[in-house]
Amino acid sequence: MSTAYENILVETRGEGPLRYGWITLNRPKALNALNDALMDELGAALLALDADEGVACIVVTGSEKAFAAGADIAMMNPFNFPDAYRRGLISRNWDTIRQVRKPVIAAVSGFALGGGCEVAMACDMILAADNAKFGQPEIKLGIIPGAGGTQRLPRAVGKSKAMDLALTGRMMDAAEAERAGLVSRVVPAAELHAEAAKAAQAMCGYSLLALMATKESINRAYESPLAEGLLFERRLFHALFSSADQKEGMGAFLEKRAPNFTHR
């Protein structure tokens, strides 16, 4: 990817017909605090990788010390209500990740607080290093989470745990985050990137149609009643029987060979 960014690093990795995108948040002196410039670049990179037919999935990560320590308070402090509302503070660029149809993995090491926790939760799965710390400490600033913290967090960890974190402002370590269901797994910090790469590379070996349909169907579970979600799942399940990848995948299984997916 040739685009030059100032606040993130972007590359494609992996082997085979499909590769995976790797985005590193890169404001180390600010512990990757999320300002407008960074979020604009992150959104642009996510959309570019999503549009790249050679990319199966995307990993978003930060530094060992901080995935993202939060939104940039210095950037937000001057806002009043009319400015925030008119200019779409957060709405304008933080929601771009919702447009991405391919799987997005958050590889979190160190602090993922406030907006950092919210960006991680907006991804499709979170791999956490054993030194990761999660939290929504906005209450300490006289505000509430504004990028999904009061909505995604209770869906992930339940009402009581979400209330605990958001009302006290305390941090939750990686072990507690895994027990609560916020993260999919915890690995030693030194192995985080290798584990994220392993997960991403595994996805690169599957049908892109099936990956995208799986993501869409699971996300629907958060946004619809069970009966509607089941109907949506069934329709996608049926629809994939019209794909070449379904024929290849099942045929390869029966013939005891590796499938050769064409993503059609």
Side-chain angles (χ1 to χ4, degrees):
M1 184 170 292
S2 60
T3 304
Y5 298 101
E6 295 183 1
N7 300 282
I8 61 174
L9 304 174
V10 183
E11 58 186 307
T12 54
R13 299 181 178 181
E15 302 175 354
L18 286 181
R19 306 180 74 198
Y20 56 93
W22 192 280
I23 301 175
T24 304
L25 308 182
N26 190 39
R27 293 188 71 207
K29 292 182 180 179
L31 295 179
N32 292 332
L34 305 170
N35 61 10
D36 266 346
L38 187 153
M39 295 307 296
D40 283 343
E41 291 183 359
L42 177 60
L46 286 167
L47 293 180
L49 289 166
D50 196 40
D52 188 335
E53 294 185 358
V55 169
C57 59
I58 305 163
V59 176
V60 178
T61 192
S63 67
E64 182 176 356
K65 190 172 183 179
F67 175 76
D72 191 319
I73 305 305
M75 179 270 295
M76 293 193 299
N77 184 55
F79 278 85
N80 57 26
F81 173 74
D83 289 339
Y85 183 75
R86 185 176 63 252
R87 293 170 57 183
L89 178 63
I90 291 180
S91 308
R92 185 183 65 78
N93 45 14
W94 288 59
D95 289 341
T96 306
I97 193 170
R98 297 177 61 192
Q99 301 173 37
V100 178
R101 301 180 67 195
K102 295 172 181 175
V104 181
I105 302 168
V108 176
S109 182
F111 297 112
L113 305 176
C117 186
E118 290 169 312
V119 168
M121 289 191 293
C123 297
D124 299 307
M125 55 187 282
I126 302 175
L127 301 185
D130 54 11
N131 71 338
K133 302 281 189 181
F134 299 89
Q136 299 291 164
E138 289 86 350
I139 196 73
K140 298 179 180 181
L141 302 175
I143 59 173
I144 69 169
T150 66
Q151 302 303 303
R152 291 190 177 97
L153 189 60
R155 285 168 167 78
V157 305
K159 176 184 174 181
S160 184
K161 181 76 73 174
M163 287 285 192
D164 180 6
L165 292 167
L167 293 177
T168 69
R170 75 174 181 88
M171 290 187 289
M172 176 169 62
D173 65 20
E176 183 181 357
E178 184 180 31
R179 290 195 305 271
L182 181 63
V183 307
S184 62
R185 59 183 112 153
V186 178
V187 300
E191 299 174 15
L192 176 65
H193 285 185
E195 285 297 310
K198 184 178 178 181
Q201 190 62 57
M203 294 181 196
C204 290
Y206 302 139
S207 164
L208 182 55
L209 288 173
L211 288 172
M212 294 169 67
T214 299
K215 168 175 174 167
E216 186 177 12
S217 189
I218 291 176
N219 280 337
R220 183 60 67 99
Y222 280 90
E223 300 173 2
S224 61
L226 178 59
E228 292 300 316
L230 288 170
L231 178 61
F232 184 81
E233 176 191 72
R234 197 65 41 81
R235 289 295 176 262
L236 282 180
F237 175 73
H238 290 161
L240 286 173
F241 277 77
S242 67
S243 72
D245 282 348
Q246 176 267 331
K247 301 296 185 288
E248 172 63 14
M250 291 190 177
F253 177 83
L254 294 173
E255 295 167 13
K256 296 180 172 56
R257 59 175 176 82
N260 180 27
F261 294 120
T262 59
H263 318 295
R264 294 290 186 268

